[in-house]
Amino acid sequence: MSGDLEAFMRFRIQTGFKCSENAMRTILHPFDRYIFENQTQWEDFTPMFFLEFQRNISSGAPMTNKVMLFVRHFFDYLLRNDRVAQNPLADIDPLEERDFIPFIFAPEQIELLMISAHHLIRKKEKYFLYDLGVYTALQLLARCGLRITEPLKLRRSHFRTDDYTIYIEKTKFNKDRLIPIPLALASDIMNYRSAIESSGYAKDNAYLLAGFDQRSICAGSVYKMFHEALKQIRMNIKKEVIGRTTFASPTPHSLRHSFAVNSLQRVKQRGESAQNALPVLSVYMGHQDYRYTSKYLKLSDAGHRQALVDFCVKHRE
């Protein structure tokens, strides 16, 4: 079976499937582990076996459906190569998925959040520059729509002072991109780096946002500052599940969603087409395909999102 799985992944890559080998391994891992733990033989691959496998996948409905879809494609591949007589997953329905509505910050809420986060920077010499790096990471999430891992992996050489850009290397989908950043944020980063170089703190650290012991700042510190800042401005809102819809609570990733929605809103306010802006925004955010960016058109702004919550709450009551 392992040889068939390897051949299937090579086939997918050769036919232009936009998914890295590591990503495919991650998706197929629950299936590989399940057949190993159950000492599964070829004759065991029946529809009942896969219904039981579906129930045993510990992830939520979206990931479970992705795993099952990949395994279905794998058995289609085996069928075409005469390795099996039929696809046992052909008639297995996907799990019902809830609609997911991310939390969206309005521009003025982002400003309040960043002011609150700035006040959380500790003034003691031992912590000041570390906390300033954490605050700068939040700035990059909010002002550039980065994923939380992206600012933490930036090296000093990835920030270009000649044209105020940052180079983001091999993140999700194994993509690289060079993006411009706002002038005010570029100035903040240069001041932060000047403070580091003049203080001697983390002098030999290769990361742009320097942590302790030659490492970058850690994601846990970013989460902590974000949620503390939320509490200060009383926006620590809980997740709501209403019917088939999940209204998410704010997380650092909400800053990325908010960047996309607010960018499209500004395009519309200029009287331009948000649809035409999608390919540019998609490249800036590092999406695999601009169709992934189009989901943000469903939410006009933070007010629209809140109106959906209010409507659903009223309907439930």
Side-chain angles (χ1 to χ4, degrees):
M1 175 63 75
S2 61
D4 290 307
L5 283 169
E6 294 290 339
F8 168 67
M9 288 189 289
R10 287 196 300 271
F11 168 77
R12 297 284 276 184
I13 292 170
Q14 289 166 4
T15 53
F17 184 64
K18 293 182 178 179
C19 187
S20 69
E21 185 177 332
N22 286 339
M24 284 191 280
R25 289 184 187 279
T26 299
I27 294 169
L28 287 168
H29 178 69
F31 175 60
D32 187 46
R33 183 183 60 200
Y34 189 76
I35 62 176
F36 175 78
E37 290 175 350
N38 290 277
Q39 297 296 298
T40 309
Q41 305 298 316
W42 283 99
E43 59 269 20
D44 297 324
F45 291 132
T46 64
M48 188 60 68
F49 171 88
F50 283 104
L51 285 171
E52 187 63 29
F53 168 60
Q54 186 183 52
R55 283 193 290 270
N56 277 271
I57 299 174
S58 58
S59 306
M63 189 59 191
T64 297
N65 290 340
K66 183 179 287 189
V67 172
M68 294 295 288
L69 180 62
F70 251 75
V71 176
R72 180 181 288 122
H73 288 325
F74 172 56
F75 273 84
D76 282 338
Y77 168 80
L78 295 177
L79 186 60
R80 288 194 301 272
N81 287 276
D82 297 323
R83 297 283 286 140
V84 295
Q86 60 184 0
N87 189 336
L89 296 96
D91 297 320
I92 296 178
D93 293 327
L95 300 179
E96 183 180 18
E97 296 184 26
R98 290 193 177 100
D99 293 326
F100 179 82
I101 309 295
F103 187 90
I104 303 297
F105 289 99
E108 58 272 18
Q109 291 172 328
I110 290 176
E111 298 309 317
L112 282 174
L113 179 71
M114 298 315 299
I115 291 169
S116 176
H118 192 268
H119 288 158
L120 292 171
I121 298 173
R122 291 169 289 185
K123 303 302 185 289
K124 288 185 178 180
E125 184 178 350
K126 181 179 179 181
Y127 303 112
F128 176 74
L129 287 173
Y130 183 89
D131 286 1
L132 187 57
V134 175
Y135 171 75
T136 305
L138 279 177
Q139 286 268 61
L140 284 161
L141 300 184
R143 312 300 185 192
C144 303
L146 301 192
R147 302 177 180 95
I148 190 167
T149 56
E150 292 174 343
L152 309 188
K153 292 180 179 179
L154 289 173
R155 302 281 177 152
R156 283 184 291 176
S157 60
H158 291 162
F159 173 55
R160 296 158 47 117
T161 56
D162 55 340
D163 57 2
Y164 302 137
T165 58
I166 53 174
Y167 177 64
I168 303 170
E169 188 177 28
K170 290 183 174 56
T171 56
K172 194 174 181 182
F173 307 119
N174 207 33
K175 296 183 72 172
D176 299 345
R177 65 192 194 275
L178 181 70
I179 63 170
I181 63 175
L183 294 180
L185 177 55
S187 177
D188 287 346
I189 293 175
M190 286 189 290
N191 290 337
Y192 162 71
R193 290 305 313 177
S194 294
I196 283 182
E197 287 159 16
S198 62
S199 70
Y201 166 83
K203 183 175 64 173
D204 299 323
N205 193 311
Y207 288 99
L208 179 66
L209 305 179
F212 302 115
D213 302 324
Q214 304 303 312
R215 291 177 292 182
S216 178
I217 60 172
C218 70
S221 300
V222 180
Y223 276 95
K224 183 178 179 181
M225 180 176 283
F226 174 83
H227 286 293
E228 283 295 324
L230 273 185
K231 289 179 186 176
Q232 295 291 332
I233 61 174
R234 299 185 179 182
M235 286 194 65
N236 49 329
I237 301 163
K238 292 183 179 180
K239 177 178 73 174
E240 285 261 20
V241 178
I242 304 173
R244 291 184 59 256
T245 304
T246 298
F247 293 95
S249 58
T251 68
H253 199 68
S254 303
L255 295 172
R256 177 171 166 85
H257 294 311
S258 303
F259 172 83
V261 170
N262 294 334
S263 295
L264 292 173
Q265 182 66 11
R266 286 194 295 272
V267 169
K268 286 192 259 186
Q269 288 170 350
R270 294 198 301 264
E272 300 172 8
S273 169
Q275 187 73 43
N276 291 343
L278 287 178
V280 176
L281 182 61
S282 176
V283 171
Y284 189 93
M285 297 186 71
H287 284 154
Q288 187 178 24
D289 191 299
Y290 81 87
R291 286 173 294 179
Y292 294 111
T293 321
S294 65
K295 66 185 179 182
Y296 294 117
L297 290 174
K298 297 177 183 178
L299 290 170
S300 300
D301 52 31
H304 179 204
R305 190 253 188 208
Q306 189 57 47
L308 287 174
V309 177
D310 294 341
F311 174 81
C312 290
V313 168
K314 184 176 180 180
H315 182 72
R316 177 179 63 186
E317 290 172 352

